[in-house]
Amino acid sequence: MSDAKLVYKDKEYPLPVVEGSEGEVAVDVSKLRAQSGLITLDPGYGNTGACQSSICFIDGDEGILRYRGYPIEQIATRARFTEVCYLLIYGKRPNAEELREFRVKLTRHTLIHEDMKKFYEGYPPGAHPMAIMAAMIASLSTFYPDTEESLDLNIIRMLAKVKTLAAFAYKKSVGQPFIYPRNDLSWTGNFLHMMFAVPSEEYVVNPVMEEALNLLLILHADHEQNCSTSTVRMVGSSDANLFASISGGICALWGPRHGGANQSVIEMLDAIQADGGNYRAFLDQVKDGNSKVRLMGFGHRVYKNFDPRAKLLKDAADRIFAQLGAVDPLLELAKRIEEEALRDEYFVKRKLYPNVDFYSGVIYRAMGIPTEMFTVMFVLGRLPGWIAHWMEQRNSDDNRIHRPRQIYTGENLREFEDLGTKHLSTKLGKGR
Ligand code: ACO
């Protein structure tokens, strides 16, 4: 492939062009500064390829999403979440024996160390479960050593224990006793059991809930260089351990512009409903350039046609609601808002479509999962993607520490005058 050329101050700099397996092309600027003194400036990294990766392919203009080459539409209807974890992390589909072994390991490592239960006692009743998750996942590194030999097992531990930590965070928030995992249940069934069982009653996992959860987790499993995955890669690039890197990803996911949008969507729909359901007035507010109000669950940095995950979830929502016998005016409201927005010039012009978070919240609600847990559900789904990216980077030949540059816009050199305040007392004066 021929080089690209950059001309600057009458000098020409050849820049190699890299082509991906789906024909995507990139100009390699990694030597640009050494050659010319120039750096590239791309706030928000909207036009920057941070790595080469073989995990996930997205074509945002065509609404395409594939995990390791397999279309999301097929994976979503034909796979279980644990198989998707295997596929993403190990790069191939497991055969029947490999999958069985993998599932046995995931079942055997579901318990958390009893001492970790004490950590939950220290949080105030209203603690957000995402804060608890970030702290708990980082805390796993205090129990399990970060050695080369323990890496395989640490991956299993993380995948197995994350649902226990999440369910315990929920139990803490409602003041109920923790429910221990059962080895006869699937990954998803076990999570539902730990969330919803109470000691005084027998809990039978509802297959409709298990199926719905399986779909939701698969649709969230990976999405290439999004904010949280890039954070995991960024933290991991310093050779931080797996637990610490994933904890960083959880914090990045929490924000309402990213994974926290699923919570914000329900809060937004609730507020519109409480205000008499006047969604048109709300959309007017969104379109008012001065209001800073956004239609949560709409828009995406990469998808400019439709988000295939949102399409799958919208189709699934009616089915899941009917099977669960659930009724929620927010589902109807969401559909009316989508319809209205998709024919409104403001949204059409900016190519704003529903993203994965627009319909996930209403489904979680129908399943009885409280709003504050929605982003934790995203953590459960995205975990295999984060692990796969952390591993890919670690094993790559070009695993340099992530260290972007900047264009400095501050003060030029100036004198730091001595004002004689160096030994100023910090003692409080009388009368204060
Ligand atoms: N509602 C109203 N207007 C929007 C929205 C929205 N949800 N999203 C983007 N826009 C507008 C912006 O105001 C901007 O308009 P302008 O050109 O007149 O200034 C234009 O569309 C482009 O928006 P950007 O902010 O530049 O788009 P960016 O790619 O940086 O942001 C993001 C993408 C963060 C997802 C944005 O669309 C957004 O905030 N959406 C709502 C939050 C959300 O749903 N996040 C979840 C994303 S999916 C995920 O992380 C799982």
Side-chain angles (χ1 to χ4, degrees):
M1 176 150 292
S2 58
D3 288 347
K5 285 188 191 106
L6 177 82
V7 181
Y8 177 64
K9 288 189 178 164
D10 296 334
K11 267 188 132 179
E12 205 172 83
Y13 302 97
L15 297 166
V17 172
V18 178
E19 186 174 359
S21 52
E22 288 289 339
E24 289 178 312
V25 281
V27 178
D28 179 350
V29 293
S30 55
K31 307 268 183 313
L32 180 63
R33 185 172 176 278
Q35 290 169 338
S36 66
L38 290 165
I39 63 164
T40 56
L41 182 64
D42 182 20
Y45 309 128
N47 205 40
T48 293
C51 61
Q52 299 193 42
S53 177
S54 61
I55 299 168
C56 180
F57 171 70
I58 301 176
D59 182 332
D61 295 324
E62 297 297 326
I64 291 172
L65 169 61
R66 295 181 200 143
Y67 297 163
R68 300 279 187 193
Y70 299 107
I72 191 65
E73 292 80 4
Q74 292 176 11
I75 299 181
T77 48
R78 299 176 191 169
R80 310 303 303 167
F81 178 60
T82 43
E83 185 183 353
V84 175
C85 291
Y86 192 108
L87 172 71
L88 288 171
I89 295 169
Y90 304 113
K92 66 170 190 110
R93 286 191 74 179
N95 61 33
E97 186 48 28
E98 287 166 333
L99 186 57
R100 198 192 64 78
E101 266 179 37
F102 185 57
R103 285 182 176 151
V104 168
K105 282 194 217 162
L106 291 183
T107 305
R108 293 240 168 96
H109 289 277
T110 306
L111 279 172
I112 57 167
H113 196 289
E114 283 293 293
D115 287 351
M116 282 194 88
K117 276 170 47 189
K118 296 192 190 111
F119 300 174
Y120 287 91
E121 289 166 20
Y123 291 109
H128 197 288
M130 282 298 276
I132 298 181
M133 286 303 286
M136 289 293 169
I137 293 284
S139 302
L140 286 175
S141 60
T142 63
F143 289 86
Y144 305 108
D146 169 34
T147 60
E148 198 59 38
E149 303 74 57
S150 59
L151 181 57
D152 282 346
L153 191 50
N154 282 350
I155 291 173
I156 297 289
R157 284 174 174 142
M158 176 95 81
L159 287 168
K161 293 179 200 308
V162 71
K163 62 184 178 306
T164 315
L165 295 170
F168 281 18
Y170 168 65
K171 288 296 193 190
K172 157 81 191 177
S173 73
V174 288
Q176 287 181 6
F178 298 140
I179 298 292
Y180 280 60
R182 270 177 34 197
N183 283 2
D184 60 318
L185 295 175
S186 69
W187 197 101
T188 40
N190 226 339
F191 172 69
L192 294 170
H193 157 75
M194 289 189 280
M195 279 283 288
F196 297 119
V198 285
S200 46
E201 282 171 23
E202 194 199 346
Y203 178 78
V204 180
V205 177
N206 179 340
V208 174
M209 298 254 283
E210 210 176 342
E211 214 44 55
L213 183 56
N214 189 60
L215 174 69
L216 283 153
L217 296 179
I218 288 176
L219 294 183
H220 286 87
D222 193 40
H223 216 230
E224 49 119 304
Q225 309 309 317
N226 57 84
C227 176
S228 56
T229 303
S230 300
T231 302
V232 169
R233 292 186 81 122
M234 169 76 91
V235 179
S237 79
S238 73
D239 276 350
N241 70 61
L242 178 66
F243 302 115
S245 306
I246 300 290
S247 174
I250 292 175
C251 293
L253 187 73
W254 191 359
R257 283 170 162 192
H258 189 15
N262 56 15
Q263 177 172 340
S264 306
V265 168
I266 290 294
E267 288 164 353
M268 173 189 78
L269 293 175
D270 252 339
I272 298 172
Q273 186 75 359
D275 202 27
N278 190 352
Y279 59 90
R280 290 202 173 93
F282 178 78
L283 289 177
D284 285 343
Q285 240 181 308
V286 170
K287 292 186 282 176
D288 172 358
N290 298 319
S291 78
K292 300 253 185 281
V293 178
R294 286 205 164 188
L295 177 56
M296 300 310 286
F298 255 68
H300 197 276
R301 173 62 62 80
V302 181
Y303 293 121
K304 298 297 174 197
N305 181 339
F306 69 95
D307 177 340
R309 304 166 302 171
K311 209 163 169 238
L312 286 161
L313 279 183
K314 186 185 176 189
D315 293 347
D318 284 327
R319 191 180 66 241
I320 295 166
F321 268 67
Q323 287 170 336
L324 289 174
V327 182
D328 188 347
L330 296 196
L331 176 60
E332 285 317 307
L333 181 60
K335 284 185 189 170
R336 284 206 295 275
I337 292 177
E338 179 190 347
E339 238 174 71
E340 183 80 10
L342 292 186
R343 55 171 181 248
D344 188 298
E345 210 210 313
Y346 175 94
F347 296 92
V348 173
K349 205 172 109 196
R350 291 170 178 77
K351 300 187 174 170
L352 301 171
Y353 295 85
N355 59 52
V356 68
D357 287 328
F358 196 64
Y359 285 105
S360 63
V362 277
I363 301 178
Y364 285 134
R365 218 162 102 111
M367 293 168 69
I369 293 170
T371 314
E372 284 216 327
M373 282 293 287
F374 289 179
T375 317
V376 172
M377 304 305 294
F378 201 147
V379 170
L380 301 186
R382 186 53 56 87
L383 185 60
W386 287 335
I387 297 174
H389 281 272
W390 188 86
M391 290 288 291
E392 182 180 68
Q393 170 172 275
R394 198 170 183 271
N395 297 333
S396 120
D397 295 336
D398 191 15
N399 179 19
R400 301 175 75 199
I401 189 165
H402 287 198
R403 206 300 184 190
R405 290 190 177 262
Q406 64 166 18
I407 295 294
Y408 175 69
T409 58
E411 299 284 350
N412 294 119
L413 179 66
R414 51 182 170 161
E415 188 76 14
F416 190 80
E417 284 166 29
D418 190 349
L419 301 178
T421 53
K422 202 170 160 193
H423 300 294
L424 202 64
S425 168
T426 53
K427 276 189 194 154
L428 295 178
K430 275 190 184 154
R432 292 205 55 197

